[in-house]
């Protein structure tokens, strides 16, 4: 009997990875246009979202999950702007007591618990060495904790790193990887 390999989970933060905080670099963002155009709803940071990011995330072949303090608001205000469907949302615990060793990010333990025995990627701008060590010691499956430069947000280099990890560090390679997905570096 053959068992299908479960797709890895990709936990996605909003502030930093999707909404970069750095000064505008002159890099053009793919904006939504025409009847699909959505107002910024009073939040000027929403204008920093890049519509091209959603399809690239979907092409990785992972089960995407919001791992952000935006919680359900990520579905309401971010998903459609970047071409994503509604995604599951990690519900954060009320208290971070017993959260682990000093320096462990408050998201680390809940994300590992949410993933269960599945492989996962966590894309965030606040990941540190303690988080990587803790996950390596505590999580039973491969995991990539990928820190994004919050001044730039997700870039082609980040997508290349994610695709490379999916291709080389998971049994069977990337479940939904499209040829050439790792080659774009814009």
């Amino acid at each position: 009997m053959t068992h299908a390999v479960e797709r890895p989970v990709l936990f996605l933060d909003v502030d930093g990875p999707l909404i970069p905080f750095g000064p505008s670099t002159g890099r053009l963002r793919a904006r939504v246009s025409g009847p699909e155009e959505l107002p910024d709803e009073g939040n000027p940071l929403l204008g920093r979202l890049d519509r091209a990011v959603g399809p690239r995330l979907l092409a990785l072949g992972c089960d995407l999950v919001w791992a952000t303090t935006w919680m359900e608001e990520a579905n309401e205000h971010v998903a459609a702007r970047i071409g994503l469907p509604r995604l599951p949302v990690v519900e954060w615990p009320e208290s971070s007591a017993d959260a682990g060793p000093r320096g462990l990010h408050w998201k680390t333990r809940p994300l590992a618990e949410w993933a269960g025995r599945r492989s996962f990627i966590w894309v965030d701008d606040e990941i540190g060495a303690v988080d990587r060590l803790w996950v390596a010691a505590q999580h039973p499956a491969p995991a990539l904790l990928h820190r994004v430069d919050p001044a730039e947000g997700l870039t082609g280099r980040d997508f290349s790193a994610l695709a490379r990890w999916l291709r080389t560090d998971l049994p069977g390679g990337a479940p939904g990887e499209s040829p050439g997905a790792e080659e774009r570096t814009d």
Side-chain angles (χ1 to χ4, degrees):
M1 178 177 202
T2 305
H3 295 284
V5 175
E6 258 188 306
R7 290 167 31 127
V9 176
L10 191 152
F11 294 113
L12 186 59
D13 185 31
V14 171
D15 293 320
L18 297 180
I19 298 177
F21 294 123
S24 176
T25 61
R27 178 172 63 164
L28 293 176
R29 295 271 189 203
R31 299 287 308 231
V32 179
S33 60
E36 299 172 350
E37 191 166 340
L38 299 169
D40 68 11
E41 299 173 18
N43 185 341
L45 294 178
L46 293 174
R48 293 177 173 232
L49 292 168
D50 182 351
R51 181 145 176 91
V53 169
R56 292 184 79 182
L57 287 165
L58 291 170
L60 291 171
C62 298
D63 290 337
L64 302 177
V65 176
W66 292 120
T68 174
T69 56
W70 283 64
M71 304 206 35
E72 191 58 43
E73 288 183 9
N75 279 320
E76 296 167 17
H77 303 290
V78 177
R81 284 179 171 80
I82 63 170
L84 292 178
R86 291 186 77 78
L87 302 176
V89 177
V90 174
E91 298 289 331
W92 304 115
E94 290 296 319
S95 170
S96 61
D98 303 325
R102 181 180 300 199
L104 187 70
H105 194 284
W106 61 270
K107 290 181 181 178
T108 307
R109 185 180 298 247
L111 294 180
E113 289 171 1
W114 203 99
R117 302 189 66 75
R118 293 173 68 182
S119 297
F120 73 88
I121 296 172
W122 174 21
V123 175
D124 205 310
D125 62 315
E126 297 181 349
I127 295 169
V130 174
D131 303 306
R132 289 185 180 91
L133 290 170
W134 189 90
V135 168
Q138 301 295 322
H139 190 65
L144 172 65
L145 279 61
H146 183 78
R147 184 184 180 281
V148 172
D149 181 344
E152 296 183 6
L154 275 166
T155 66
R157 289 183 309 277
D158 296 305
F159 280 102
S160 292
L162 301 176
R164 186 172 37 257
W165 184 83
L166 287 164
R167 188 178 61 251
T168 61
D169 289 1
L170 289 181
E177 182 181 26
S178 57
E182 71 281 353
E183 295 173 10
R184 268 184 72 185
T185 58
D186 49 64

